[in-house]
Amino acid sequence: MTDVMAISDHIRTYAVIPAAGRGLRLAEDSSLPKQYTIVCGKPLIYHTINAFLRIKWIDKLIVVFDAENSKLMEEIVGSIGH
């Protein structure tokens, strides 16, 4: 049992948030995908990233996004300040 616990102590946990789709059904402005739709004053992806950052056992968070909106995503991630 000790060997299993020693191995599990070194396991890293990664979370991947897919945010490269269009998802236009939710967005009022069809020029932006739904992950950028404003909900409670912030883009939806902002809330999603913050929720994952609060999970202590996740070691690394990876957000996959499209190159077309890379500047917008960089601004959102930069505003989180984590």
Side-chain angles (χ1 to χ4, degrees), residues 2-82:
T2 306
D3 292 338
V4 173
M5 290 184 72
I7 292 170
S8 67
D9 288 343
H10 298 349
I11 294 174
R12 296 185 51 91
T13 304
Y14 292 73
V16 179
I17 300 174
R22 296 298 299 168
L24 299 175
R25 289 178 296 172
L26 177 66
E28 291 178 16
D29 176 2
S30 63
S31 66
L32 285 177
K34 72 178 175 184
Q35 58 268 31
Y36 303 109
T37 299
I38 302 300
V39 176
C40 296
K42 301 281 185 186
L44 183 59
I45 191 67
Y46 176 95
H47 299 291
T48 304
I49 293 169
N50 266 323
F52 275 88
L53 289 174
R54 288 193 299 268
I55 301 171
K56 302 266 187 237
W57 51 267
I58 294 177
D59 297 305
K60 187 165 282 209
L61 183 59
I62 300 165
V63 181
V64 181
F65 55 92
D66 62 326
E68 181 180 331
N69 294 305
S70 62
K71 288 189 184 224
L72 180 56
M73 185 62 81
E74 287 174 15
E75 289 174 14
I76 293 167
V77 170
S79 72
I80 293 173
H82 181 18

